[in-house]
Amino acid sequence: MNRFSWIKFSCALSAFGELYTNAIRVRLRIVVLFLVGSFSGLAQSQNWVETAPGIWKLSVGKPEAYNLLTAAESKPNTEALTKLGKTGFPIAKDDISVRVEGGKTYLRLPLDRGEQIFGFGLNFQTVHQRGKILQLHMDHYGNKDNGRTHAPVPFYVSSKGYGVFVNSARYINVYAGTAVRQDSKNPPKVQDRNTDKTWEARPYSDAVEMLVPAEGVDLYVFGGPTPMDAVRRFNLFNGGGCLPPRWGLGFTQRVNRLYSADDVQKEAQEFEDRKYPLDFIGLEPGWQSKSYPCTFEWDKGRFPQPGLFVKTMLDRGIRINLWTNPYVSPEASIYPKIAPYTGSHTVWVGAVPDLTMPQAREIFWGKFASDHIDIGVSGYKIDEIDGYDFYLWPDVATFPSGLSAEQMRQTYGLLVQKQSADLFHQRNQRTYGLVRASNAGGSSLPYVIYNDYYSHEDFITALINSGFAGVLWTPEVRASKTSEEWLRRFQTVCFSPMAMINAWASSTKPWSFPDVAEQIKEIAQLRMKMMPYWYTEFAKYHFEGTPPFRAMNLEDGFQTEAKKEVLTASLEENPYAEAVSKEIKDQYMAGEYLLVAPLFTGQTTRKVILPKGKWYDFYTGKFAGDGEVITVTPGLDKIPVYVKDGGIIPMMPPLLHAPKPDQKIDLEIRHYGEKPAQSRLYDDDGETFNYEKGQYVWRIITVERQKNGQWKGLVSNPEKGKPDTIGKVTWRFMTSP
């Protein structure tokens, strides 16, 4: 080969080499790009951080700055969480999968065979959530249990004793033990429908999977070791439950929507004349000059002197609660100022304030402060902030803060609760009201959820589920077709967070059915007599996270015993079998000691599942059973209530109004059963936030059997400088011979 040819060959070889090298580079680049592009779709490495004893957080992808907890401005009660103590991480971390792909976050958590899950918000028809497909979406009614409800809380509790919370203000899709992955560690068996009579259309699934439409989210796991412990941690993580004023646990009547000041005062007088208790009256839309949309201003015809009216009612021991929705009428005095800080779409032609903006908050709540709270109004009923789709702002709406319509819808209930509650807190004055929407983070906010649905049975299921969701719910009474229904509804509302008649449309009163008027009075008076018990249980909710009204599944030993024995005995031999195989959605725990088993219209008998341990009839003290199913025929006058062995129920005289802060109250303390016992009684001034500065006391109640066989009770002495509202104490030992 001559020199010229060699040079040509060398150049050609060099060019080929460069082409080959470039091809390799391109191929490598494609591979790298593929890997990089796919990396976000792979399972993320998990760095769980224990943020408080028994609570772990995992930040997946890029969590959004605005979420449920920021909307509620909730702050963990770290002191109470520390008292709960440490526990191990309750789930196998290798079985948890998280990834971000296509702008969405995918979460997968394991489920064991036989494991049941509860929660996912305020459900009205089901307690067991395994096998459900949901979209957690703020909405009205919620009677389909598809995730669209007044409190679509993205928190669930496992029967194994742990909880899971997804802190996102988005519509979350949930597959709660419904989907089957090819890489499942516990796949269902393959079945041939042609030949196998046991073939199932819904194969076994071993996971809860959730899809969050965001590029990241904060995922929390709450340890146990019991389901109740997980719930307590969740509530304390959100600041602890609310502590209402004493008057909030009395009785409330919501009057006809067009009542005047004179009408309200006449009705209050009739309550007093008939000796029915009454602590606060709710005014419905007619108190405003215009509503739907609202002016937030008093109607001068019906309430010509609102300040004098409110003061007159307060002097009689009755507080005023105002209905409203937040949609600003173009005729409202604040409309020109607030209009720049409202959303692109209206509700009933009213502007929707962007309450995440300081300017909107100042204008909106400034009106409430000057026109309502400063003249003595004690609280609010905040309506219509949940749904329907056809009247609420659509998901295409925009808000000046830049938050999406979806985020605003998921959190608007939290915003109005938190911001209105702050108005009262600034005045060192507790409030207790009603709201139609809430979510995670709202446990400490002093509001009870209600709605326009009216199934009595489903109201009780919702009351049961409220304990899993960190919210309060009232099975309010509005109207009834018969006196039997009226009494049955009244009985259950008096064993709930708010004892209320909502007569905005019906104008009903407690005595509207004369043939049961005395029974109604008796149950209303019982509500008042039990105020020391209710107040103490709400204090436990606040300081310890224990929901005052809750499912049997959270009762210590109930679910555990069921799982142990369900496979080895029939229902007749093992009453707890029903707790696993069938939802318990018609009986519930009310505080530490009481089991409530309501009857509904047309029922004369019912079965009651009693947990392990001895239980006694609340009214008579007679032994009812021990870990068994009993059938009861209580008659119309009584709602079946049972007290666990050693139960201590402090009671006071049936006053017409809640005690005042400096009022000494005599107590009758009841003890049930055969167990010596020790309990606590909470005391503070009942109205202010001075308890946050340590102005409260837990009095210890001790009941022991003496050598002669007689029972003896003792209440610990008050602490110096602490509240002391206990007068004379008498004892009633309900099971004494």
Side-chain angles (χ1 to χ4, degrees), residues 93-125:
K93 293 180 181 178
D94 291 344
D95 291 338
I96 301 173
S97 172
V98 298
R99 63 189 176 95
V100 179
E101 185 174 2
K104 297 180 180 180
T105 301
Y106 297 74
L107 308 172
R108 185 171 188 264
L109 296 104
L111 280 177
D112 286 350
R113 193 174 293 276
E115 183 178 0
Q116 187 52 261
I117 54 176
F118 312 91
F120 288 124
L122 188 66
N123 295 304
F124 282 75
Q125 295 184 333

Side-chain angles (χ1 to χ4, degrees), residues 89-252:
F89 194 87
I91 311 172
K93 293 180 181 178
D94 291 344
D95 291 338
I96 301 173
S97 172
V98 298
R99 63 189 176 95
V100 179
E101 185 174 2
K104 297 180 180 180
T105 301
Y106 297 74
L107 308 172
R108 185 171 188 264
L109 296 104
L111 280 177
D112 286 350
R113 193 174 293 276
E115 183 178 0
Q116 187 52 261
I117 54 176
F118 312 91
F120 288 124
L122 188 66
N123 295 304
F124 282 75
Q125 295 184 333
T126 56
V127 176
H128 293 176
Q129 299 306 312
R130 186 165 186 165
K132 301 285 289 295
I133 298 174
L134 313 165
Q135 184 183 69
L136 304 182
H137 188 303
M138 185 66 67
D139 204 358
H140 190 41
Y141 276 24
N143 61 330
K144 294 182 179 179
D145 280 12
N146 59 3
R148 296 181 73 116
T149 183
H150 302 279
V153 180
F155 173 70
Y156 71 86
V157 184
S158 167
S159 59
K160 290 184 63 180
Y162 66 88
V164 175
F165 167 50
V166 180
N167 184 21
S168 173
R170 297 286 182 177
Y171 305 149
I172 301 175
N173 290 328
V174 177
Y175 304 87
T178 62
V180 182
R181 290 182 59 90
Q182 289 194 30
D183 60 357
S184 169
K185 290 184 177 181
N186 305 286
K189 65 179 181 179
V190 178
Q191 293 180 284
D192 178 10
R193 190 175 185 181
N194 292 338
T195 59
D196 191 342
K197 294 181 179 180
T198 66
W199 180 89
E200 294 179 320
R202 300 177 64 180
Y204 167 75
S205 170
D206 66 347
V208 174
E209 297 189 80
M210 290 178 273
L211 178 62
V212 184
E215 294 183 346
V217 74
D218 285 330
L219 177 66
Y220 291 85
V221 168
F222 296 80
T226 68
M228 176 66 93
D229 289 326
V231 168
R232 287 189 181 109
R233 292 183 202 275
F234 177 69
N235 287 334
L236 292 171
F237 178 70
N238 291 304
C242 75
L243 180 57
R246 277 195 178 93
W247 57 259
L249 299 178
F251 193 83
T252 178

Side-chain angles (χ1 to χ4, degrees), residues 701-712:
I701 303 174
T702 304
V703 177
E704 296 178 338
R705 193 184 290 275
Q706 301 178 93
K707 291 182 179 180
N708 62 4
Q710 298 297 309
W711 290 103
K712 182 180 180 180

Side-chain angles (χ1 to χ4, degrees), residues 89 95 251 274 377 398 409 423 449 462 477 490 556 576 615:
F89 194 87
D95 291 338
F251 193 83
R274 292 174 178 265
V377 167
T398 58
R409 181 159 176 172
L423 297 177
I449 301 174
V477 182
F490 217 93
D556 189 27
Y576 301 102
W615 292 80

Side-chain angles (χ1 to χ4, degrees), residues 365-376:
W365 297 114
K367 181 69 172 176
F368 282 57
S370 63
D371 286 23
H372 314 154
I373 300 174
D374 286 350
I375 66 171

Side-chain angles (χ1 to χ4, degrees), residues 501-518:
I501 291 179
N502 183 4
W504 74 276
S506 64
S507 297
T508 50
K509 301 167 181 62
W511 50 87
S512 288
F513 290 84
D515 56 324
V516 294
E518 286 305 309

